[in-house]
Structures are given as structure tokens and as C-alpha cells.
């Protein structure tokens, strides 16, 4: 039988995109084991669009810092740790890092007195000793094979993403898709050179517009997550529906495109009885940008209640909030016109992050929120998934 | 004895800064009497900063429309109706007009069954027939004499604003300052020519920077409101404290500077038993941008409760929400860094409106919110007043 | 025989989008006859993109001012005067109005001693008394029928624009297309409602994207100009080539899309011996944004030389400069990468206007330049037409 | 007697802020000796303002690349090579690096047939063998002691900068200040912590505004350059005149503030007979943003003529162009209003770079121009220095 693992989440402030002080200090204090880090998700203060160099600067700084702290080779760190930087801290969003660790669980139960949170609401049993049956935060990672340019934004990308999500679930010890609450995907995009390469082999591509290719890649990846989690059926999917049929989506996917890779890198967050973590994760799906009921759902699924506990001590149990934001394509929110799509000074996705960031900041009393843009097939039009990672209650 | 008056508030959508369709339709339907309009507050979709031409366009369009609808001379409309345009619909804020009317009350009580809302919690009596003792929305306007350039942003502006606020209270039939919940002030700014005029008479000015002069004018005006409402004492005020001592503020002032006037135009909103309106007004003071408790306070003062009613039918009773937003000068919100002040692409005040707009939109489930920037001495640093006008309950 | 006409051009400063002071003063001084105004082209200080309200504000202010000055009905002014506002004064461009008048020529020759400038270099004779044979600034206007939504951005728009350009040439007394140097076209765009109207009749449209429809309309209109002027042949044109074949273009078209019309309004500027103007017009075609040789061409065609006269007294003879600017779609200028297309903070067209504005400002020593964006089929990729109107030499 | 040195300048394209490909290739081809690099000046594609992370990213990438190529320790590279990144490629400016090398001159004269360019026009003799008397590009670097926070933006910074400029001149073998054509200074700024440190010792600072402190530091540094070069006299300077008396300036200073240092780093570019470079440098002072005559002056001083040679083969002799750009504080250029200072969407310095970049691009037919902003006391209001480095003629 395998040694049980534990997942840790650290939310650290950043005073600049290349400020790794808090990370170094947490390692110095023994709170973070730099060799156990599997992923860093970061909000950085660029524009979150094409010319956002805060993301690259942050990734560089984090990579060098972890290599130094863990005394590992830079290339090994680049290979083994997922770095997902989301640019854009509009409104009051606060730049921060979410550092994820996976360690072997200590011999003694981490939190012996913790009340059971049942895995997969439909059927899982939580019998036996409390700590054995308790489903706690589980992390699984997986990677697809590299895509050809012509596969990006199309079914091959979706299908192989679905397979990789399932591999990541297995790696995390999660059997039931309902126990998955958040799937981060980092996916490739098309460049001029990649398009030419496809043409050279007589193939066409999903789009010739390199900027749009980011959306197609995010969209196909999100549909792959939806397929893996049973949110859509395989026969509902086709190349023609990517970025066109907004009715198809995952309520748990968060996908992000980058130039530096040709494969999809997947990180699944869920709850599993195979883990001995001090955290649990839950989620809701915001129907629109103002849908605080979805936050209630997410909170309830981790044992917190908004109106009551969240204004009191429950607030401190929230370890991380992850959400997607996009302007509704209808141009309206609950029948009221918004101006995001007509603003040629500020990109629509920046307005959307500011709005959702404000809505969530009001609920959580907190601005260190991982709100990212680019939500093709990640939640309904104008809405999106919101996941909450919480420390387990007393 | 005077005929009782009634105040009406109409919240109308705008599909562009010069779109007066909804106003015309409301007049056509008999809902608005164009000759009774005393003020229009508008959110328009410019940047809310120096080069925001959406405000001028809106004012032009509204002025012409009201003159036409009321068959009045353009100059008379310009003189008798206050037009306060607040630029900036960042995040999801929705462009809209708040049209205020003052009419003679109909002979029969407007809402005979309405429960009493007591005027001035400390001492006011609500005896007699329900409708007589009920304090409902009251509007009073007043105007200061024109200022000299050297008086702008200094004590003369503050002191005469205080006098005008008290005149507006009397006009509104409000005796107790505690019954005032919102004071809108439109105030002048310095231009190069006005500064030269002061110099020509051997006087100096509060600032040579014409942009900064807007802040000084707003600040001194807000301190005048604070003085009138007993929020600060006269001996706490001096020229040197304007825009410097953030501890001095009004929790009910909303001031806005414009180039087109040299006096201060004041509109007081409060509750008075001398009125027979179907609306009441209340307010709270946000301690910071996330302070939803202040919204609770504002709601409670108009007989609504957030957690419960506001998610249900109570939501429809909210007729208008007016709030101020400014970035905290500490660079942090509840200890978390924000990036508003360091963003050279998007003006800090735009971030602040997006944030407060998002927080309030989450609470109210509504994006037609009058959130304006430039909050010198209007609430504490990083916070600000939030006023709610509600239809009276059943 | 017709009374000869004269065309006048006035370049007036604007201290704000609604500042008509200079116009009023010029009328007061007797320099402008408000009833003779046929067009006002203006540079206003908005962003020149979707949410640019400086254009609407300027048009409103000008329309009201001209109606008042000319004691004409507002609707008549709106019908008879073309208002073309180009937003965006990036770099050092200076907001200004170009006011065009058409009057009956005075009985005595305007400038008896002026040296002849020959009309149509190939063949026109300039015999007879100098002033009779002299080709001077001629203005002709024409209008197409209203387009159906499905015709916008397609061949019907191009073909009827070509017919209207020829009608405007006739109206201007210009027989030879080579005597045309600048064709301003104001054209419609698609809105959601217009698209639905086409769908309702079973038609499709050039694009469903309302923003892109502006480009299609400008492009088809420019191709119509090119056809009328013999720059492209009819069989080279097809719906499929609009906004796709950058090799097809007019070197003299400047087209601009607006929401307020469904027809194309055309103004042709050229030289004609039928006129007795004190001005002549010429043009060049910039091959790229740095192509100052094209300015030489334009200057030479109005009898000025850059290196010499333009740094001396010749500079004062330049009455107006009109140019188009667009980022090269290759992402490079003379092999050097530009960053216009990857900037998510500043729209590419704003960079392009700043660049071309700077290049021309260096040449002309002047920033009151009518540089506008949106140059589909108006000059080669990354380049564009540049026209110069000059006072005739001594 | 010392071995003569030679200075080399390489202008390399950058496809992104962290793209060092061209540098690596130049080293691979043997064109650049990575151990001889003394400075890299770069234009990067950020906003050039507070939140421009393209500069940090570029510096990081260059530092790592040079350390790797030169097989040197990262800290040694950071100490020995000056990295000056100027953000902002508005208009058509093209991101690029200017790599400066200093090597021992080869035994044989570099360009035996080169015509003499006389050092210091007033008095220097150019007798003896041609190559001996020829003044060619000379580079000198120096560094001040670290400043205390209270010294930044004040006379101590100016005076010690002047001393360091003279030290750098000596290091470059330049005796006559007239042979200095460009002085790059990298200087510190104030942070909150540094201000507190000064307060802790009972000292005040030039400004409490950390953003403004950049201007004060640049200004005091530029005045130090002016003093060293005899452009202003010591008794004309005082703390009170820094950033206030625009009549005091250097026509050859280019200063830039960064957070990473507390001293001033100085690089002097001039011509000296002690060097055997293939390059010479010259400069002019633009009186305003359109002053192309100043470019003539700069070109003439390196033996090129604008009208003629620069449009022909002379263009290829231009190796680098370095200029400063700032909006005129009068709000006008040659009497025409500009809108830079009133634009709340695009920072004024971005407009200014776009404008000067456009003017110079038209002259040079080239967009790889090092145009930087923040020109306090660097040239007259609205103007600035322009330096040209050219390959020596045949």
C-alpha cells in the first residue's frame, strides 16, 4: 500500500512580478519544502493580454529561486514544476503566488479531529477511522503528447486533454469525476512559424490569427476537461463547435495558453481519501458575473457558509480562491448594458477581471484572488467556475 | 401651510452618452414630468478623467432633450436643472441616468399604508396620522455665491458650502442633520486663466496644477458638507488641512468638479416628514473598498436587509445606489497590496470605480450603480459613502 | 455659361472637441461665409476607435454653431454640410477644423498674377488669359442611394461609390481623373439591428462583427474610388477581395465609417480651370509610414519643394495636409519590427497615427495635420495617400 | 604609452524583451567579444512608465546571456556592464539593443584611409599621420559614491555627478568638453523605505512622491552633466532650481532613474584622438519636437548631410541615434495645441516618444532609434538632445 500523501497550498504576497521574498522566507521558516513544489499559480500585475511581460518576468524569477532553494538544476525545475502566470490585477486584485506542494503524509494523522468530508456525494462511504475516510485535497498532474499545429484548437487537442485529465485523476487517487473541483490546463498557441509548418505539410489550422489561436487552444482544452469530467458527451463535440457553441462548457476548467509549450500540462485539484491533507477543495459555477450564489455553493462544499461564517472566523479558513472572468458576449449583465466590449482603451478581459474580482472581494473580504481571463468553454457566457480551497475545520 | 411635495427618482438606461430615448419614453408614458426635473445624475462611459468627453456630450443631449420636452428655453433649463455627469463605467458598471423630480404631492396620501420610518432617530416624533409623521425622500437645492480663484480649495469655499448645505436643508424641510443622507456638490476648478486672474490681483492659489485643483475644490467642498452636518468642527478646519488631513471627512458628501461654473451647486437628499414621497434614503460609510457592512447599514436605514430581502423581492425596492470610490493611498486593502497607484496604463480612479462597482454589484445584483471617483474628504482613505434610495415598503 | 466658383479652405484651431470659437471669430471677421460652408473635416482628441465621443460632441457643436451663424435650420445644415470627424491626436497632432467653402467667384480674378498650374499633366492646355487656363481647387460633392445592410462592404457599395465619385467630379467641373487628388468618403457600418434586418429578408452580410463592418465599408468604398479614378479595373474587383487583396487600392481615397448614415457621402477635391480659387491641391502615395518622398511628390504637384521652400516661406503656403495611417500588417517597417499590433494597451491605429503624424510634422514643421486611421484599400499596406492643399504661389 | 583602444557599437534587433538571439549570433559570428561589452542600451516595448516590466525582463535576459557567453560570474557582469533599458516603442519605434564594446585597437590602423575628423573644433590640432590625429569614438565610464536619500534630486547629486563625468572623460581620454557628445546617466530614485531612512536621521527629502523622485534624480543628474560640460555655471545651480528652472539644461545628457542602485553610473560618449575606432559621434539640440535642423547639426558633426547623403548611401553609415523626448509644458508646439498632457488614457511621455520617434524616423528612414523620455534639464522644454553615432566615411 502506498504511503499517503498530503497536499499543501501557500498563498504568498508579491511586491513585484519578480519578488520571491515571501517564497524564500517561507522556505527559510521551514514552511515550504522547495523540492516538494509541484506548481505555482500566480497573479501578476501586467495587462493579461498580448504584451504582458510581467508573466515572463515572474516565471523567470520563480524558476531561478526554486532551483536555488531546492539546489536543483534549472532545467529540471522547468520540467517538474508547473508555472501558470495569470496577468491582470485590475480593480483591487492583489498580486500573489499560490504555491502547491505534494509531500508524503506524516505518520501521525495530520488533523485527527477533523470532521469527515465525504468524497463523491453520490455513494462514497466514509466508514472506518475518521482520518481514513476523510477526503482531503488531492493533486494530480499529467501531460499530453506534443500537438501538431493543425491539432491546436481542434478535436485532437480536446480528446488528448480528456485522456490526460483522467490520467491526472488516477495520479491523484480520484476515481469519481465529481470529486474533481478544479482543472488547470496550460496549453500552446499558434505562431506564424507553427502555422507555416502546418502549411508546409499541406495542413490548415484552426485560425491564422495568432491571437485568436490562444482562445481556440483554451477552448478546445476546456472541452477536453468537460469531456473527461462527464460535463459534455463526446458526440456533442466537433471542430466546428470550438469557440462557437457557448452552451458546451466545463464548470471546473481553467485553461491558459502560452507560447513556450506544444503540449497540454494538466493539474487536477480534487478531494480524495487517499490523501492526508489539511485542505479541501470545492467549487461553484457562476451563471453571470454577479452570481454570488455560486460562491455559496463553493463555500458550502468546503463546509463554510457565506452569510455567517465567512464574515467571522471562517474567513481565515479560505486558503485560495480561483475563478474565471469574461465579458458576456450579449453586451449585458442581467439586462443592463455593460461597456466592456466597446472600450478601445481598456481591453474587455481587464474589465471582466475587475468586475469578478470586485464581486468576489466583497464576498471574501480579501483581494488575493486568482481571477483569470480567457474563459472560452469554461462556464457559461459571462460566468465561469469559482473554486475555493479551504483549511479543514476544527 | 405649504402644500406637501413629493420627490421622485427614475433610473433610466442609456445606450450611449447622448441617448435620451428612455427619458423621452418616460415622459411620453406620463411617468416623468419634464418641468418637474430638478437634477439628473448620470454615469457615462468615458474615462472619468481629464479627457472624458462623454460627460459633455451627455449634458448637451440631456439639456436639449429636457428643453424640448418641457418646452422651455435652453438657458432656463441650464440654470434650473443640475446636471452631474460622472464618467467611468469600469468593470461592469452600466451607463444610466438618475432623474430627480420634485412635484406637489397629490391631495390623497401617496402610500397610505406605508409603515412609518422615523425621522432623526434621536428624538423625532412620528405621532399623528401615519402619513403625516412619515419621513420620506426630501430634496433641497442651494447655490453659493461665485468664488474667486484664490478661494477655491480653501476655507472660503468650505465655509460657504456649509452655509449653502444648511440653506438646502431648510429648502428641503430637514431640520436635523442626521436626516441628511447624501449631499451632491458640483464645484469649480482652476484654469490657467483663473490662476492668472488671482495673480493679477496679488493673490496666490491653492495649487498651480489645474488637475490638482479639482481635488482641492472637491476636498474643500466636502469639508464644507462635513461642517454643515456636524461631522467636523469649524476649528478643526484650515487651508492647510484641505487634501492633507484624511482624518477629516464627511460620510455623506459626494463632490464633483467642473469647468463650467464658479460657484458650488448643492443638492441635499434626506428624509423629511414635510414630504409625501414614495421613497426613502439612507446611507453607510464604507471603511474600505470591501466594506459590505456599510451597505448593510445603508440598507437597514431604509428598512431592507441584505442577506435576506436583498436576494429576494427587496431587491426591486432599491431605486438608486450612489457611492464614492478612491484607491487607498496606503497602497493596500486590508493589508494586501493593490496596484492601482502604480498602473501607468489605467488611471487609479478607474481601478477604484471598478473595484467598488464590483463589490456593490455583487451585493445588489445590479450594475446600474452611481459609483464616482475623486473622494477627497468624502469618507475615510480608500473608503467612502454609500447611499441607497429605496421605494417604501408595503 | 456658369459663373465661376471659388473654393476656400480654412484651418482653425480647436481648444476642445466642442470649441467653435475660431469658427465664430472667422465668421465675425468676414473671412468665412457660414452659408457657403460645404464641409468640415476635423481632428478631435478622442481615441479614434469605438468609444470615441469627441467626434459626436464636435459634430453636435459644429452643427449648432453653423445653424446659428447661418441662421439656418439645424436639419438643413445637417443635410447640406458634410461633417467628417477623425478622432485621435496621438503624438503631437493638434486638434483642428478644416472648413471648406464654395462661393461664387468675385467678378475680378482672385489672383490675377498667379502663374498657371496646368490641369491634367497629360494634355490639358492652359492657353488664354492666365486666370482662365489656371486649374485651381475644385470641390464636388455627391451622394449614393442608401445601401441595404447586405450591400455594405461588398460590390454594390463599391460600384455605386464609383458612380457617385464621377458625379462629384462632374459637379466639380473635373473631366480628367488625374486632376482628382483627394476623395473623402463617409460611409455606413453594420449594427446588430441592420444585420438582423438583412437576415429577416434571407440575406447574409459581409461580416457579423459590427466593428469589422467599419473596415469592410471603408474598404469597399475606397475600391469604388479606385475604380472611378481608373486605379483598378472593374474586373479586378469582387466581394472576396474586399479587405483581403491589399494590392488593390486607391492612392487618393480617404474613407471613414459612421453609424448615422446608410448612404455614402462623397467629397472630391481636385483642380479645375472652371474654378477661380486661391488654392491648388496635389497628392502623393506613401509606400510606407516613413515615405517622405511621397510628400515631395505631393509638394511638387502644388509647386512647392520640400528641402528648400518648405523650410522657408513656402511653409506658409501649405493650407492643409490630409493623410491616412495604418500599421503594416507584416509587423515591420523597412525590415524593422514594430510593436503596434501586439500592444493591448494602445490600439494599433493610434500608434500608426502617431507615427505618420510625427513623420509629417517633421517635414511640414506643423502639427495641424489631418491624419486619420482605417486605411483599408487606401494606399499600400502600411502606407497611404497624403494630400496637400496649398495657397497658390506669387 | 598606452595601447590605443577602439570602441564598437552594434545595433541589434529584439523580437521580445528577453530575446537575446541577435546577441548570441553576433558573438557566434565573432563580431562581438562578450568580454569586451561595457554597456547595453535597449529600447523595450513596455509603457516606459512605472509598471513597465519589459525593462527588468530585458536586463535579466541580457545579464544571463552575457555571463554565459563570456563565461563570467553573473555578479561580475552586473557590476561591470551598464544596462540601461528605456521602455516605450510608441508609434513605429523598433525594439533593439545598442551594444557597446571597448577593445584594444589592433596593431594595424583600423581604417588607414579615413579622413581626419578634428577633435574640439576650437583649437585641437590634427597634425601628424592621419590616423593618429583622427578623433574617433571614445567611451568612458565612471561611478559616483552612493547617495543618501536626502541627496537625491539635490545639489550633492549634481555636484558628484559632475565630478564623475569629468572622471569618465579622463578615462575616455577626452580633454575638451566640446568633444563630449552624449552622456548617459543611470541614477537612483526614492522609495518609501529610503524616505523613512532619511526621516529617521532627521533629514527631509526632495519630494515625498516616489514617482516624482525619478524626475528629480534625472534632473539633478542632468544638471551635473551640464556643469561638467560647462553648459551651466555652478553658481546658477541650487536645490530650488532642480526641476523648476527649465532654462538650465545640458544638450548632451540623457539620464534615467532606476530602483536598483543608489549611486550614479555614467557613460560618456565623445571623440578622442587616443582611440582607433571606426565610429564617430556628434549631436544637436532639438529646440522643440519638430526641430529637424538639430538633426542636420548632429549629422554635419559626423560628416553626413541630411538632404543629400542621408537619402542615399550615407544612411548606412548611421550606426545609432539617441534622443530624448518630452511634452512641452506649455501645451503647445510652435503655437499649436497638443493634447499629450490632458490624455488620461495614454501617458504624456508615450505621446512624446511617438512624436519625436516619428520625426526622426522620417529623417533617418529608420525606426531603430533610441528615443527615451523623462528629459528634465536635458535640452529645452519640449526639445532635447539628439546624438548620432556614425561609421567613419570612406
Amino acid at each position: 500500500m502506498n504511503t499517503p500523501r498530503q497536499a499543501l497550498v501557500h498563498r504568498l504576497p508579491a511586491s513585484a512580478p519578480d519578488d520571491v521574498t515571501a517564497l524564500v522566507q517561507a522556505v527559510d521558516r521551514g514552511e515550504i519544502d522547495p523540492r516538494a513544489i509541484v506548481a505555482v499559480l500566480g497573479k501578476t500585475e501586467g495587462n493579461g493580454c498580448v504584451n504582458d511581460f510581467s508573466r515572463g518576468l515572474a516565471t523567470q524569477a520563480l524558476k531561478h529561486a526554486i532551483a536555488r532553494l531546492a539546489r536543483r538544476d534549472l532545467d529540471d525545475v522547468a520540467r517538474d514544476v508547473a508555472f501558470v502566470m495569470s496577468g491582470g490585477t485590475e480593480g483591487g486584485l492583489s498580486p500573489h503566488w499560490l504555491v502547491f506542494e505534494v509531500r508524503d503524509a506524516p505518520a501521525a494523522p495530520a488533523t485527527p479531529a477533523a470532521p469527515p468530508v465525504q468524497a463523491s456525494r453520490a455513494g462514497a462511504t466514509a466508514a472506518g477511522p475518521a482520518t481514513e475516510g476523510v477526503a482531503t485535497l488531492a493533486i494530480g498532474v499529467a501531460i499530453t503528447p506534443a500537438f501538431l499545429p493543425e491539432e491546436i484548437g481542434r478535436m485532437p487537442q480536446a480528446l488528448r486533454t480528456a485522456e490526460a485529465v483522467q490520467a491526472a485523476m488516477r495520479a491523484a487517487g480520484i476515481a469519481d469525476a465529481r470529486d474533481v473541483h478544479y482543472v488547470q490546463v496550460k496549453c500552446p498557441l499558434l505562431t506564424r512559424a507553427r502555422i507555416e509548418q502546418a502549411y508546409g505539410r499541406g495542413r490548415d489550422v484552426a485560425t491564422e490569427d495568432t491571437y485568436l489561436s490562444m482562445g481556440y487552444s483554451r477552448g478546445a482544452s476546456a472541452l477536453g476537461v468537460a469531456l473527461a469530467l462527464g460535463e459534455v458527451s463526446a458526440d456533442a463535440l466537433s471542430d466546428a463547435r470550438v469557440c462557437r457553441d457557448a452552451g458546451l462548457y466545463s464548470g471546473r476548467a481553467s485553461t491558459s495558453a502560452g507560447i513556450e509549450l506544444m503540449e497540454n500540462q494538466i493539474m487536477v485539484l480534487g478531494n480524495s481519501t487517499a490523501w492526508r491533507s489539511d485542505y479541501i477543495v470545492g467549487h461553484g459555477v457562476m451563471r453571470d458575473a454577479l452570481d454570488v450564489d455560486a460562491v455559496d455553493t463553493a463555500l458550502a462544499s468546503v463546509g463554510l457558509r457565506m452569510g455567517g461564517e465567512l464574515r467571522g472566523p471562517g474567513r481565515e479558513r479560505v486558503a485560495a480562491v480561483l475563478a474565471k472572468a469574461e465579458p458576456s458576449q450579449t453586451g449585458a449583465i442581467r439586462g443592463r448594458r455593460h461597456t466592456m466590449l466597446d472600450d478601445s482603451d481598456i481591453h474587455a478581459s481587464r474589465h471582466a477581471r475587475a468586475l469578478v474580482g470586485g464581486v468576489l472581494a466583497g464576498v471574501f473580504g480579501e483581494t488575493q484572488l486568482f481571477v483569470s481571463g480567457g474563459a472560452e468553454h469554461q462556464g457559461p457566457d459571462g460566468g465561469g467556475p469559482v473554486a475555493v480551497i479551504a483549511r479543514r475545520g476544527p
Side-chain angles (χ1 to χ4, degrees), chain A residues 234-261:
Chain A
D235 54 352
L237 298 183
S238 71
D239 286 354
R241 293 195 174 168
V242 177
C243 287
R244 291 218 177 69
D245 184 346
L248 301 171
Y249 61 81
S250 169
R252 288 167 272 175
S254 176
T255 67
S256 139
I259 199 173
E260 69 277 22
L261 73 177

Side-chain angles (χ1 to χ4, degrees), chain A residues 11-19 22 41-46 54 58 85-98 366-371:
Chain A
R11 183 157 61 176
L12 305 174
S15 71
D18 55 353
D19 172 36
L41 272 60
K43 279 303 309 174
T44 63
E45 56 205 280
S54 68
M85 297 300 127
S86 163
T89 54
E90 296 81 5
L93 291 172
S94 188
H96 66 287
W97 318 121
L98 295 176
E366 165 71 67
T367 55
Q368 283 187 343
L369 305 165
F370 187 82
V371 178

Side-chain angles (χ1 to χ4, degrees), chain A residues 7 24 43 97-98 110 117 189 221 256 279 283 304 333 344 366:
Chain A
V24 172
K43 279 303 309 174
W97 318 121
L98 295 176
V117 174
L189 50 80
S221 300
S256 139
Y279 299 88
H283 83 284
L304 288 166
I333 302 171
S344 305
E366 165 71 67

Side-chain angles (χ1 to χ4, degrees), chain A residues 108-151:
Chain A
T111 56
V117 174
Q118 291 193 339
S120 73
R121 270 77 45 215
T125 60
T131 51
E132 278 194 11
V134 176
T136 64
L137 181 63
I139 299 178
V141 295
I143 196 166
T144 67
F147 296 111
L148 293 170
E150 60 265 35
E151 295 174 331

